[in-house]
Amino acid sequence: MTNLLRFEDLQAILRQHSAHLPDHRQPSPNTRYTIQDAVFGAFGVFFTQSPSFLEYQRRLQHTTGQNNAHTLFGVEKIPCDNQMRTLLDPMAPHHFDPVFLEVFARLAQHRLLDSFRVLGDQLLVAMDGTTSLSSQVLSCQNCLRRQLTNGHTLYYHAVITPVVVCPGRAQVIALPPEYIMPQDGHEKQDCEQMAGKRWLRTHADAVAPHHVTLLGDDLYSKQPFCTLALEKGFNFILVCKPDSHPTLYERVAFWHANDGINVWESRRWNGHFTEVSRYRWLNDVRLLDGKESLSVHWLEITVSHATTGVVLYHNSFITNHRVTAANVAAVAQAGRGRWKIENANNNVLKTKGYHVEHNFGHGKQYLAAVLLSLNLLAFLFHTVLEWSDDTYALLRRVLVKRQTFFDDLRALTRYIVFENWDHLLTVMRQGLQRQSSLDTS
């Protein structure tokens, strides 16, 4: 543990970058709530995973003259839910991107990302789109639209949530999201491919110098995205399926017929049976027809049961990392790491207390996206605290289930006002020690 990015440090980053957020209200001496109060009030809800957090704190303020929204999150005056939504609705979510990037930079500075590096010195950043909320009734100017078979229109919000991943590591590190929403000057509905390219253009200067390899599904393994990634200083390992890349697979078939495909095989005991991993690869193969076609390296992995021959896993990728017998297993393992954006990110955000598919507030402009960004920041802060705050890490480890930790957090902050975050964690730790003493006796 380094204690270099504790709760106060993370909050200070958010406070610094929210100090000058635009206030779309007309100047008035009767302005009661600040934009920062709205930001940190909403953030407190997501950080504590308590939808009623602000209501509880208003009750504490009424009964005790103090509240945890102020002592833990610095909220001066607690806005009601409707006031908070009104203040946040006109604010574009990109205003919070610098918070993600500064946390990422601090982690790199303190060498907390070193254990995530693979393929020599590469950080793997997985990209994937997910739906955050949908409705056939509620809509706003930034909704996407889909016509249903019953003739009704589905309004929904979608977002790309890039994360730093590493094979063998349970945690992921959230980077700035890219919202898939109508773009000014574009008649076509926005899509994941266009949003992915926007993310590259927007964040290349901050992210690419850290030696980043992008991971993605077959949707991303198209020449425009790959070319842009290389231009912006990124590497890539992207799923590449035969149905969507017929030209490339014609060349693979030609070289296979002429014994030009490299093959390597390995075996390992997985604790239950022996797995056989068979790798095939071909370097310097054209992605498309024509002189302007990008040259990439192709590889395929098939994992099967050594005794029965049943295929357990099969996939193929394109990459700009040259493939050899010495690194083919590592490149394939890195490519397989993209599943973590589903299991360790999107699934966690949907099912482990963050409830990103829940409608916390739709608004007329950007409210849904702003609230999702604050929710993602809470997820990022929770991840970082597991590495950088000894007491937080101890509590999460001893309580085992994250739900238990947040149940305790909600209960304690509902009835007791704490001086600060350290005071809260100290009380929780002392409670565990007393419980341990009772159990021992």
Side-chain angles (χ1 to χ4, degrees):
M1 290 294 172
T2 62
N3 290 325
L4 293 173
L5 274 173
R6 300 189 61 160
F7 182 64
E8 292 77 8
D9 303 312
L10 295 169
Q11 269 212 97
I13 295 172
L14 178 56
R15 190 163 298 280
Q16 173 194 347
H17 290 290
S18 62
H20 304 290
L21 290 172
D23 189 339
H24 297 273
R25 293 172 293 183
Q26 294 294 327
S28 169
N30 297 321
T31 300
R32 183 178 181 186
Y33 303 104
T34 67
I35 296 296
Q36 273 201 330
D37 282 345
V39 168
F40 275 89
F43 177 74
V45 168
F46 297 124
F47 187 86
T48 60
Q49 296 194 352
S50 173
S52 302
F53 176 71
L54 296 181
E55 178 187 346
Y56 296 154
Q57 301 320 305
R58 281 191 289 269
R59 292 178 185 175
L60 276 176
Q61 181 65 35
H62 179 72
T63 57
T64 69
Q66 303 177 81
N67 69 84
N68 291 302
H70 175 67
T71 59
L72 299 182
F73 300 101
V75 177
E76 295 297 332
K77 296 181 179 179
I78 306 173
C80 73
D81 291 349
N82 286 337
Q83 290 164 328
M84 183 174 63
R85 293 186 181 106
T86 300
L87 290 174
L88 297 179
D89 190 28
M91 190 182 307
H94 67 76
H95 288 294
F96 297 98
D97 289 358
V99 183
F100 292 91
L101 295 175
E102 184 165 343
V103 172
F104 174 71
R106 295 274 193 96
L107 291 172
Q109 176 188 349
H110 299 316
R111 307 191 69 84
L112 291 173
L113 298 179
D114 286 1
S115 61
F116 276 74
R117 294 193 178 275
V118 298
L119 300 177
D121 65 345
Q122 294 290 302
L123 289 177
L124 304 178
V125 172
M127 302 181 70
D128 193 20
T130 186
T131 300
S132 55
L133 58 90
S134 61
S135 173
Q136 294 185 41
V137 179
L138 297 174
S139 67
C140 68
Q141 65 182 33
N142 288 312
C143 277
L144 300 173
R145 292 166 170 76
R146 182 185 303 139
Q147 204 67 28
L148 302 176
T149 55
N150 61 9
H152 296 162
T153 300
L154 179 70
Y155 303 96
Y156 65 100
H157 286 255
V159 60
I160 295 175
T161 54
V163 288
V164 180
V165 302
C166 179
R169 293 290 300 266
Q171 302 95 340
V172 299
I173 303 166
L175 291 172
E178 182 62 42
Y179 290 93
I180 306 171
M181 59 175 59
Q183 301 296 302
D184 292 339
H186 294 264
E187 292 185 3
K188 286 187 177 181
Q189 179 162 274
D190 197 23
C191 68
E192 186 174 341
Q193 286 180 318
M194 291 192 288
K197 288 186 279 189
R198 278 201 309 276
W199 192 90
L200 296 185
R201 296 187 185 99
T202 303
H203 301 299
D205 290 346
V207 178
H210 292 274
H211 306 289
V212 167
T213 292
L214 301 172
L215 309 179
D217 61 21
D218 187 73
L219 186 69
Y220 292 94
S221 58
K222 307 300 188 289
Q223 177 147 325
F225 183 86
C226 295
T227 301
L228 180 61
L230 295 174
E231 289 175 355
K232 295 300 182 181
F234 292 100
N235 300 301
F236 60 82
I237 304 172
L238 305 168
V239 173
C240 178
K241 295 187 178 298
D243 290 347
S244 55
H245 296 80
T247 300
L248 182 145
Y249 276 90
E250 286 175 8
R251 294 187 170 103
V252 171
F254 171 82
W255 286 110
H256 175 71
N258 290 276
D259 296 324
I261 300 291
N262 301 286
V263 179
W264 186 72
E265 194 173 279
S266 67
R267 303 167 73 89
R268 78 175 186 95
W269 176 257
N270 66 10
H272 302 283
F273 56 85
T274 299
E275 291 180 353
V276 178
S277 296
R278 189 169 189 267
Y279 304 92
R280 300 197 306 149
W281 71 94
L282 179 64
N283 287 312
D284 302 314
V285 58
R286 293 286 179 179
L287 191 57
L288 301 171
D289 282 325
K291 295 180 180 179
E292 302 302 318
S293 176
L294 183 67
S295 179
V296 297
H297 313 306
W298 172 86
L299 71 147
E300 176 189 75
I301 175 175
T302 303
V303 181
S304 58
H305 193 296
T307 305
T308 66
V310 173
V311 174
L312 308 172
Y313 176 82
H314 175 82
N315 216 336
S316 52
F317 307 89
I318 56 170
T319 179
N320 69 311
H321 293 292
R322 192 165 193 85
V323 184
T324 68
N327 73 0
V328 63
V331 174
Q333 184 183 39
R336 292 180 68 176
R338 68 159 295 277
W339 69 268
K340 284 187 172 292
I341 195 169
E342 285 292 338
N343 289 4
N345 185 69
N346 294 347
N347 186 53
V348 169
L349 291 171
K350 291 176 180 179
T351 65
K352 304 298 181 181
Y354 298 94
H355 304 295
V356 297
E357 293 179 307
H358 177 74
N359 181 13
F360 291 101
H362 201 126
K364 297 180 179 179
Q365 293 176 270
Y366 299 106
L367 180 62
V370 168
L371 294 178
L372 179 53
S373 283
L374 292 172
N375 204 353
L376 292 172
L377 281 174
F379 175 56
L380 173 61
F381 285 17
H382 292 153
T383 303
V384 173
L385 288 172
E386 286 190 45
W387 307 329
S388 63
D389 188 311
D390 293 329
T391 307
Y392 181 90
L394 172 66
L395 291 168
R396 286 297 309 276
R397 187 167 60 251
V398 172
L399 293 173
V400 184
K401 291 185 178 180
R402 59 178 296 113
Q403 182 179 346
T404 304
F405 173 84
F406 285 104
D407 284 346
D408 290 354
L409 187 68
R410 284 190 290 269
L412 287 168
T413 55
R414 180 174 185 175
Y415 298 108
I416 304 171
V417 177
F418 297 91
E419 296 175 8
N420 50 44
W421 177 248
D422 285 341
H423 180 206
L424 170 58
L425 293 188
T426 299
V427 169
M428 294 180 73
R429 183 179 62 190
Q430 290 172 344
L432 286 177
Q433 290 171 339
R434 285 194 295 271
Q435 183 64 49
S436 178
S437 298
L438 290 171
D439 291 345
T440 303
S441 62

